[in-house]
Amino acid sequence: SAATATTLPGGRGLTVIHPGLTTDQIAPAPRCRQPDGPTVVGMVGRLSPTKGQLVLVRAMRRVVDERPDATARLVGAAAFGAEAYEREVREEVERLGLRDHVQLVGFVDDPRAELDRFAVCVHASPTPEPFGQVVTEAMAWGVPVVATSGGGVDEVVRTGPPGCETGLLVPADDDAALATAILEVIEHPAPALARAGRAHADVRERFAAAAGASAMTAVWEAAATERPPRRAAAPVSRPRVAIAHDYLTQRGGAERVVLALHRAFPHAPIHTTLYDPDGTYPEFRDARVVVSPIDRVVPLRRRHRYALPLLPYAVSRLPVLADVVVASSSGWAHGVPTTGRKLVYCHAPARWLYQAEAYLGGPANRSLQGRGLTLLSGWLRRWDRRAAASADRYLANSTVVRERITAAYGIDAQVVPPPYGVDADQPQAPVDRLADWAQEGYLLVVSRLLPYKNVDVAVEAVRGLRERLVVVGSGPLARRLRQSAPENVRILSGLSDAELRWTYAHARTLLAPSLEDFGLTPLEAAAFGVPTLALRAGGYLDTIDEGVNGAFFDEPTVSSVRAAIVAARDRCWDAHAIRAHAALFSEERFCARIRAEVEGLLSPDGTTTGSR
């Protein structure tokens, strides 16, 4: 958008190419009448303070006072640590007496079915949006739109001259103005539908994917024929070792590995495509982080999946000047160009290419992102394989990942297990919601709440049993799991590291029902002397020594997990032996191995001591 361009250095001279809508996102014809039944005020977007669901809830109090038949449907789930905001929205609904008029729908696969129900689609962001994709999608589907002005939305919704408007714009964070505009649409459907009809035609002309593709092609052709001369580069000091990682935008096992690498090479700069200091571990603030050009696009730092088509471009423009670059890669960082040798530590070959259904949470053709990924997969595979071939040495974090590397790239990688990231000797902070369960202990699941993690299987496995289950994690399935969980299950999110340590320390057994590239949580539990019941597959085969720190079940099914829980009821475990097993995966061992690999690549013959 032009709004985004103005935030970039020299951006006022950039070419603007709006995101394109596929043909199935554009209704064949504009809406000719409003939906039958109750008047539905709709909003689509993840639950977040930047999206403004609270503003709409407060506006609905005024709307319902005038139109008691009106209801609001908030479509979207809390993500990226926004669970507290979801609670705030629900509390405001209760405070304003809107329980029967405002529904939090949660995540839906296809929002078009929801758009069919809306009399008006609301965009209520209190902060300027870089573009306003949801607004264009609603307009393309023929739904009257009320939006807050600012940022890219002003480029999407036309407000004049009279008779040419395509929607209504109101000031940001003004629930009174928002309510007035919503009532204008509800009470005067004819002019609202006329605006929606003009919006439908405008979107077809300006925001269709074909138009964007044509504009992008023209830019590429111009770049190929009008490349400016290179300016002489200033001399740059060249460090012995540098670190590269896909993106530093979240808190996970891969980011903990990068922190371990940073401690192993404290003077090494960290190169990455996107960096969100608030979204990842605070320890990265102490490092020198070098970012790619796309890091200037702030929304991509919070939604790195949306940057997927841009990441090969971003990585290729992230040159690393070092004698050895250690690339922590799940599919991107192994492509960084470097002046020295390249050591790749692979967490998994690109899941969006080789495990697309697990990555997307279903068949690729179910979502726009999946369909786009299918179209790009051939080109992305070629890029990915060239990137893998550029490495001087490849390391895998587990046996199963080593096998996937061989299948994807034909590379024989050595296995170097990553360190577990929870230090049992650090302080603990009690979790009040678990105080009454702490004495007897409980089963524990620590996982993101995604379909392939099989957390729902664990929840159903304890239904009707005397065991208690604690689930620690967040994700799109959080709301559904909380609604269906029995009384002996508690689901927690947003725990601090100290609270997580306390939660591990008071658990009796960890449940691990998912297919993982590396079985990290059994090692975290083992650091506290806690055994694990895990699926006999994937990375757990490397991190669980059967009979020492855990036992296996053979299928990720309710009956199989339930049988394992019952069989382990009276089993006695040696906590000292469990902790000793965890020590085999310590950070000291990991860093010593990586240092040996780096020293080998720095040696004249490039032979690593770790390969012996």
Side-chain angles (χ1 to χ4, degrees):
S1 67
T4 297
T6 61
T7 69
L8 304 177
R12 294 186 183 277
L14 292 178
T15 299
V16 173
I17 301 176
H18 293 115
L21 298 172
T22 58
T23 54
D24 59 349
Q25 290 180 288
I26 303 175
R31 180 182 287 184
C32 59
R33 62 185 178 88
Q34 291 285 41
D36 296 327
T39 300
V40 178
V41 179
M43 183 174 181
V44 180
R46 63 184 172 87
L47 288 170
S48 167
T50 63
K51 299 300 179 184
Q53 284 85 2
L54 271 176
V55 182
L56 175 56
V57 169
R58 290 163 184 159
M60 283 302 297
R61 180 64 274 170
R62 299 169 183 266
V63 172
V64 170
D65 288 344
E66 297 291 330
R67 291 291 298 262
D69 66 317
T71 61
R73 290 176 64 81
L74 277 55
V75 180
F80 311 107
E83 288 79 7
Y85 180 73
E86 179 179 358
R87 290 194 296 271
E88 187 178 359
V89 172
R90 293 184 183 277
E91 290 168 359
E92 189 72 353
V93 170
E94 293 292 331
R95 188 184 72 82
L96 294 174
L98 293 172
R99 180 186 297 182
D100 296 331
H101 294 277
V102 177
Q103 181 180 2
L104 275 66
V105 178
F107 175 82
V108 298
D109 287 326
D110 188 353
R112 292 173 300 180
E114 290 290 335
L115 292 172
D116 282 335
R117 306 171 65 171
F118 294 173
V120 55
C121 186
V122 173
H123 166 279
S125 295
T127 56
E129 289 279 2
F131 174 57
Q133 182 73 9
V134 171
V135 179
T136 65
E137 291 174 1
M139 293 166 66
W141 209 244
V143 183
V145 166
V146 172
T148 51
S149 61
V153 173
D154 292 347
E155 299 167 49
V156 175
V157 180
R158 299 186 188 275
T159 57
C164 298
E165 307 97 327
T166 60
L168 299 179
L169 288 180
V170 298
D173 210 12
D174 187 339
D175 54 276
L178 183 61
T180 299
I182 292 171
L183 288 167
E184 169 71 19
V185 173
I186 294 174
E187 296 177 350
H188 301 92
L193 289 173
R195 287 190 294 269
R198 291 191 291 270
H200 179 266
D202 190 47
V203 165
R204 289 178 67 97
E205 178 181 351
R206 293 200 293 147
F207 301 116
S214 176
M216 183 67 78
T217 301
V219 170
W220 283 340
E221 290 174 346
T225 57
E226 301 175 10
R227 178 174 297 176
R230 291 181 179 270
R231 289 185 292 181
V236 179
S237 60
R238 171 172 164 148
R240 294 285 280 170
V241 179
I243 300 167
H245 185 60
D246 301 330
Y247 26 70
L248 295 174
T249 60
Q250 55 192 347
R251 299 184 181 210
E255 287 70 35
R256 288 192 184 275
V257 168
V258 181
L259 285 177
L261 293 172
H262 175 54
R263 287 187 285 268
F265 305 101
H267 300 296
I270 302 174
H271 297 252
T272 191
T273 59
L274 297 163
Y275 176 39
D276 179 13
D278 295 328
T280 189
Y281 296 109
E283 292 89 339
F284 285 115
R285 296 179 187 271
D286 299 328
R288 179 191 166 206
V289 178
V290 181
V291 297
S292 75
I294 68 168
D295 187 71
R296 298 190 186 106
V297 184
V298 175
L300 296 182
R301 300 178 198 163
R302 302 184 182 94
R303 302 293 291 270
H304 64 259
R305 285 191 177 192
Y306 287 177
L308 190 148
L310 301 174
L311 290 178
Y313 159 85
V315 169
S316 65
R317 281 154 181 80
L318 195 63
V320 181
L321 303 176
D323 293 321
V324 174
V325 55
V326 182
S328 163
S329 180
S330 298
W332 299 113
H334 65 171
V336 293
T338 179
T339 56
R341 311 294 293 277
K342 187 187 298 184
L343 171 67
V344 174
Y345 186 80
C346 183
H347 304 281
R351 295 180 182 88
W352 49 90
L353 295 178
Y354 308 107
Q355 296 173 282
E357 288 198 8
Y359 178 76
L360 296 168
N365 60 6
R366 285 175 53 185
S367 67
L368 175 62
Q369 183 185 18
R371 292 192 291 272
L373 183 58
T374 299
L375 291 172
L376 293 171
S377 61
W379 171 68
L380 286 173
R381 282 175 187 260
R382 290 191 293 273
W383 181 92
D384 185 55
R385 287 168 180 160
R386 285 196 304 270
S390 70
D392 293 280
R393 185 158 176 78
Y394 230 85
L395 304 176
N397 69 351
S398 69
T399 302
V400 68
V401 168
R402 176 185 181 179
E403 293 168 355
R404 290 176 186 163
I405 290 170
T406 300
Y409 308 134
I411 293 174
D412 183 16
Q414 294 292 315
V415 175
V416 178
Y420 61 89
V422 175
D423 187 347
D425 295 328
Q426 291 295 310
Q428 300 177 14
V431 179
D432 292 341
R433 286 191 59 194
L434 300 180
D436 56 333
W437 285 9
Q439 187 67 30
E440 295 183 9
Y442 40 77
L443 302 172
L444 175 65
V445 172
V446 179
S447 172
R448 286 176 294 160
L449 304 183
L450 296 169
Y452 75 95
K453 295 292 186 178
N454 297 325
V455 177
D456 55 338
V457 173
V459 170
E460 289 303 313
V462 302
R463 188 182 295 275
L465 297 182
R466 67 174 187 244
E467 282 79 6
R468 295 161 169 173
L469 172 65
V470 173
V471 176
V472 176
S474 60
L477 299 185
R479 184 182 178 208
R480 179 167 68 83
L481 288 171
R482 286 193 175 97
Q483 290 175 337
S484 63
E487 292 184 355
N488 61 334
V489 175
R490 292 178 183 174
I491 300 174
L492 309 178
S493 61
L495 297 188
S496 67
D497 285 351
E499 289 173 324
L500 180 60
R501 287 191 287 269
W502 185 93
T503 305
Y504 268 123
H506 289 82
R508 294 181 59 190
T509 305
L510 182 79
L511 291 183
S514 59
L515 178 61
E516 295 291 341
D517 300 319
F518 179 75
L520 178 65
T521 53
L523 296 177
E524 294 182 346
F528 295 87
V530 176
T532 297
L533 301 178
L535 178 66
R536 192 189 300 273
Y540 297 137
L541 299 175
D542 287 356
T543 59
I544 293 179
D545 185 352
E546 192 165 16
V548 175
N549 72 312
F552 290 113
F553 49 87
D554 293 322
E555 296 177 335
T557 61
V558 172
S559 59
S560 184
V561 175
R562 188 192 300 266
I565 293 171
V566 172
R569 275 176 178 166
D570 301 320
R571 184 163 185 170
C572 294
W573 297 89
D574 184 343
H576 177 75
I578 293 174
R579 292 188 182 95
H581 178 77
L584 299 175
F585 298 84
S586 68
E587 183 172 316
E588 291 76 12
R589 283 175 173 254
F590 171 77
C591 291
R593 178 65 186 274
I594 296 296
R595 288 193 191 99
E597 296 284 349
V598 169
E599 289 169 4
L601 289 175
L602 289 171
S603 66
D605 60 358
T607 302
T608 61
T609 57
S611 63
R612 296 174 188 168

